[in-house]
Amino acid sequence: MSPRIIRKKTGNFLEDFKPGQLFRHKGGKTLTEGLFALFTDFSMATNPLSKNARYARAHGYRGLVCPPGLVMVTAFSQTVGDISENARANLEYIDMRFGAPVYIGDTIEVETKILGVRPSSSRPNLGIVHVQSTARKNLGAEDEAVVMTWQRKVQVYKNDDKVTVEAFAIDPDDIECSLWLPEYDAATDYAALSHLSSADSYFEDLEVGTRIEHSRGRTVTDEHIALTGILDNTSQVHCNQQMIDWNPKQYVGGKLIIFGGIPFILCLGLSGPDVGDNALGETIYRTGRHTAPLFAGDTVFAATEILATHDHPERADLGLVDTRLFGHKFARDEDATPDDAPEGWKKIPIFELDRQLAVKRRSHYSR
Amino acid sequence: MSPRIIRKKTGNFLEDFKPGQLFRHKGGKTLTEGLFALFTDFSMATNPLSKNARYARAHGYRGLVCPPGLVMVTAFSQTVGDISENARANLEYIDMRFGAPVYIGDTIEVETKILGVRPSSSRPNLGIVHVQSTARKNLGAEDEAVVMTWQRKVQVYKNDDKVTVEAFAIDPDDIECSLWLPEYDAATDYAALSHLSSADSYFEDLEVGTRIEHSRGRTVTDEHIALTGILDNTSQVHCNQQMIDWNPKQYVGGKLIIFGGIPFILCLGLSGPDVGDNALGETIYRTGRHTAPLFAGDTVFAATEILATHDHPERADLGLVDTRLFGHKFARDEDATPDDAPEGWKKIPIFELDRQLAVKRRSHYSR
Amino acid sequence: MSPRIIRKKTGNFLEDFKPGQLFRHKGGKTLTEGLFALFTDFSMATNPLSKNARYARAHGYRGLVCPPGLVMVTAFSQTVGDISENARANLEYIDMRFGAPVYIGDTIEVETKILGVRPSSSRPNLGIVHVQSTARKNLGAEDEAVVMTWQRKVQVYKNDDKVTVEAFAIDPDDIECSLWLPEYDAATDYAALSHLSSADSYFEDLEVGTRIEHSRGRTVTDEHIALTGILDNTSQVHCNQQMIDWNPKQYVGGKLIIFGGIPFILCLGLSGPDVGDNALGETIYRTGRHTAPLFAGDTVFAATEILATHDHPERADLGLVDTRLFGHKFARDEDATPDDAPEGWKKIPIFELDRQLAVKRRSHYSR
């Protein structure tokens, strides 16, 4: 007798989400050195806090510090199975705040609350889901702490177009999460380490009203498939070419699309030598969004506009810098005569992030 | 004076194997976090025992547990140099049993005994070699233990077609190897962790006579070259395209062929959410074989048939589940009108494994 | 008001280098297990000192030993930003000596002194820079030590062709750096481990006047982009295809060129089974150079000529072996009728290295 075939429904659809529904996501992730090496280095990150354990410990950290980009993609990927398995597009990151530092060996677990659903007026099979997620490390241990909290809006498909979905919206929770900073130790010879970071990205160097075109680009290959899987994000549009070959019209570009977390961390990393190297951390990404898809073979570039600088309310050795981070790529366009690309090419914006960093002052950390 | 050229013969040929010959394989392998991260995540494994150190320790393990697939490919690869360097095809895995758990930092060493040789009646340059291999960890240390033992049959070339090879067969050794299981601790709040694994793959959920079509696929790229090398399997058909370019007719598909261990672990991983997540381990793979080759660009899919369920003879908290794991891919076939593929495509079975798992009971591990 | 655009100059040009100028390079690198696994295994290294922690500790090391090739590319890459960001070609490695062993968890930092500059007589926009670099580990800790020191000559562009650059040359520093060797312990049963390394690459086996054609090849894919980034070498010719697409004539082959460190370590690894497996370390690379570029899709092969053998001045258990390591690849050439390649193909030398190893004697380490 032939077996009874089971094909399970995976992920949630628009109509499945209820107000205040809480997901404690499957899996969790222990940050191994393997994961750390792959991502920190893939992202072109240059902050020596993530490269050089001697430098990190001298600044008051326990060891190599996971870059905020890696914390972000690790935590975010934990939510994909429950929240965006049946998504069409990730619309916006909102109020993404960082807390305790993450070290190699920490275990991150994430939960998400459903804040709102709004069916689309123009497309009967789609709607927007608004969620709030919080990532903690080392639950039950002495150093248990919130490492990150954020909201996001994502466009999700209905399972059944004919079902009526009622809109709802509830307030986000007030999650305590602010950037942990090591003490400033006046007895430490920080200047003796200053050659290890870039010389011209201290707080005093960053000038409001400038836009720094970061000098490096990174061509992304089909390596993205493995990188995305390593985050446990098994969303099929990133790793199942067969599915796309069967329905090419249904999928953007007819190719595997690169998980948005990858240009996210790449842009953060590319900004490093000019903006990130002398940051002790990032406090908040107020808003962020992807503006065009990325595919294997594309080359990612980035730029940063310095919007504002502030004294840090508690720390004389640091300053806060508000920036906007831009990611872009280029494509051929025979008719293009642009200012911002070679002739015959056009620039395509792919990513934008409002990003605040806590940056070291030369006065306290260098000569 | 020009130097005397040396080209060494590598690997053994059919006529080299003798009854009862024992190989203590070169190298050995310390399981670094790098190896662990790459493979556990490449394989799409979802069992939190391999992802989340908090979960693993709560269940009684020392830390992250190496998935059986990773133990298998690591141990198996140690045997390639001596046994299958000159093989044409790996025919069958037999009686593959798992023992002590493997953790990051363990060092695995393998030895192999030759059980039999049978020259081919139809092809004068080939024959079948039957071997038995045992992998141990941490030789000489307190926690030295057998982690795995198995037999395999492999089709190997003769070096000299004209040599007569006498068939022989000896009995396998009786190797003590049974799956180590942590104690069930009634005081542990396992249910508080249950959200970390899938909710519907407990022993009580698995129904004899069903076939679960696992929902995910994974396109394998030329990443396989590096993955195979990382296992120290330097068999040239996996990594030397030049050799194939010189003799395309001699090599299947005229392309680098993917090491069988890769679809092996991928199928195990793809079955995770439906079958493997709530297993504490795998007891035995009674038989397994590859039925078609895999190449870069292919997408691997999997399905599991539930064949039988049994109480565990010693453990009330677990049940034993006999399954058959199937791996397949698809290829274009203009004339195909199949039931099990879209029109114009045909399904190609690539892998089969009779697999028994020790699975947690909801009654003991969840609410 | 639109922001003021900043595009920073990156790297140094020929006219920037001054006699005796000292660079303490940015970053530093803590050798994580992730980095270790990727490179040791990518390079096809077979020495069990880098594979098997039990073997390494039995020989007197603290744990897995980083292969000299990995130490080399890690240290070398630290110098790229300051020295060869604007280079056309790396011309020669000179007097590369190894010191203290490098283990997982060690932090490497590098400094470089400018020894000389010589403008090109034939090309007004180029010149040769001669530098001396020294890599140390664990600065400030008890086990701080020199791990490597070397000189190199590199061809660098001028920023402004019209600037006159005066030639200069100063003497190299006398850097204390000799290969650390663990004690020979007559009470250790080394022979019980001897099956873990190759049986025929002891000191007694290596015969002056022979050339060993190593049996393996390795096709390098676009994996090189990620591997190079993981070393923090972000030189754009390795990872920015867009830059090349905009100016294909300016770049060799119109494709991303593979960082020279990659064929360097690959050739070292490919020689392992025949030459390197039973070495406790490499003492010196007297001279080395790349003779043709390498691109994704090329397959690397290697050969070793045994030039001379010597007793070790202090160690009866070891001998010193002078070798020349050759790397090559093949390309189609319709008219070629070579001795050293199949018909229609020609052999292209890509790398040469004068390499001395400290090799175990069978008399002391095996039966």
Side-chain angles (χ1 to χ4, degrees), chain B residues 4 30 33 109 232 236, chain C residues 33 51 53-54 207 211 217:
Chain B
R4 177 169 70 83
T30 297
E33 283 197 5
E109 295 178 38
D232 303 320
Q236 293 290 279
Chain C
E33 282 198 5
K51 301 280 179 181
R54 172 175 97 97
E207 188 184 331
R211 175 183 168 110

Side-chain angles (χ1 to χ4, degrees), chain A residues 33-34 36-38 40-41 46-58 62-65 104 196, chain C residues 26-37 39 66 70-71 74-75 78 102-110 136-139 230-232:
Chain A
E33 283 198 5
F36 185 94
L38 264 178
T40 303
D41 298 320
T46 52
N47 193 324
L49 290 174
S50 304
K51 300 281 181 183
N52 183 326
R54 171 174 98 96
Y55 181 94
R57 286 190 299 258
R62 201 185 299 164
L64 292 178
V65 182
I104 289 169
L196 294 170
Chain C
K26 279 176 54 179
K29 190 80 174 171
T30 297
L31 249 127
T32 59
E33 282 198 5
L35 176 68
F36 184 95
F39 275 89
C66 283
L70 176 55
V71 179
T74 301
Q78 297 286 304
V102 176
Y103 301 109
I104 289 169
D106 284 343
T107 299
I108 289 178
E109 294 177 39
V110 186
R136 294 174 177 82
K137 71 172 195 175
N138 303 339
L139 299 198
I230 277 174
L231 295 170
D232 304 320

Side-chain angles (χ1 to χ4, degrees), chain C residues 217-282:
Chain C
R218 173 61 151 89
T219 306
V220 185
T221 72
D222 57 19
E223 70 204 300
H224 74 87
I225 299 175
L227 288 172
T228 301
I230 277 174
L231 295 170
D232 304 320
N233 179 351
T234 50
S235 177
Q236 293 290 279
V237 290
H238 307 311
C239 67
N240 187 339
Q241 181 62 45
Q242 183 69 84
M243 178 183 75
I244 292 176
D245 289 346
W246 283 332
N247 264 313
K249 289 200 170 70
Q250 187 165 327
Y251 297 97
V252 180
K255 304 172 55 170
L256 293 176
I257 191 168
I258 294 179
F259 165 48
I262 284 178
F264 197 131
I265 64 172
L266 210 38
C267 291
L268 289 174
L270 290 169
S271 75
D274 304 315
V275 173
D277 258 26
N278 284 307
L280 281 193
E282 333 245 307

Side-chain angles (χ1 to χ4, degrees), chain B residues 15-30:
Chain B
E15 58 265 44
D16 298 324
F17 296 109
K18 306 298 170 207
Q21 186 178 8
L22 183 71
F23 292 92
R24 302 177 65 205
H25 300 301
K26 279 175 56 180
K29 189 80 174 173
T30 297

Side-chain angles (χ1 to χ4, degrees), chain C residues 349-367:
Chain C
I350 58 171
F351 181 67
E352 252 182 64
L353 185 74
D354 273 27
R355 168 194 190 198
Q356 188 188 72
L357 306 93
V359 182
K360 298 192 293 185
R361 291 180 188 262
R362 173 179 288 102
S363 53
H364 286 68
Y365 286 93
S366 189
R367 307 194 195 287

Side-chain angles (χ1 to χ4, degrees), chain B residues 1-8 10 24-35 38 81 85 104-105 107-109 138-140 222-223 225-227 229-232 234-236 239-243 245-246 256, chain C residues 33-34 36-38 41-42 44-46 48 51-54 57 64 104 192 195-198 200-201 207 209-213 215-219 221-223 273-274 277 299 301 305 329-332 341-342 345:
Chain B
M1 193 179 79
S2 49
R4 177 169 70 83
I5 311 286
I6 295 176
R7 293 175 200 278
K8 297 187 182 177
T10 52
R24 302 177 65 205
H25 300 301
K26 279 175 56 180
K29 189 80 174 173
T30 297
L31 250 127
T32 60
E33 283 197 5
L35 177 67
L38 265 178
E85 186 98 1
I104 289 168
T107 298
I108 288 178
E109 295 178 38
N138 302 339
L139 299 198
D222 57 19
E223 69 204 303
I225 300 175
L227 289 172
I230 277 176
L231 296 169
D232 303 320
T234 51
S235 177
Q236 293 290 279
C239 67
N240 187 339
Q241 180 63 44
Q242 184 69 83
M243 179 183 75
D245 288 346
W246 283 333
L256 294 176
Chain C
E33 282 198 5
F36 184 95
L38 264 178
D41 298 320
F42 164 77
M44 315 274 274
T46 52
K51 301 280 179 181
N52 183 327
R54 172 175 97 97
R57 286 190 298 261
L64 292 177
I104 289 169
H195 62 283
L196 294 171
S197 64
S198 60
D200 63 356
S201 65
E207 188 184 331
T210 56
R211 175 183 168 110
I212 307 168
E213 298 288 345
S215 61
R216 293 175 177 145
R218 173 61 151 89
T219 306
T221 72
D222 57 19
E223 70 204 300
D274 304 315
D277 258 26
T299 304
F301 295 88
E305 289 187 12
K329 64 179 190 179
F330 295 87
R332 285 194 180 283
W345 292 83

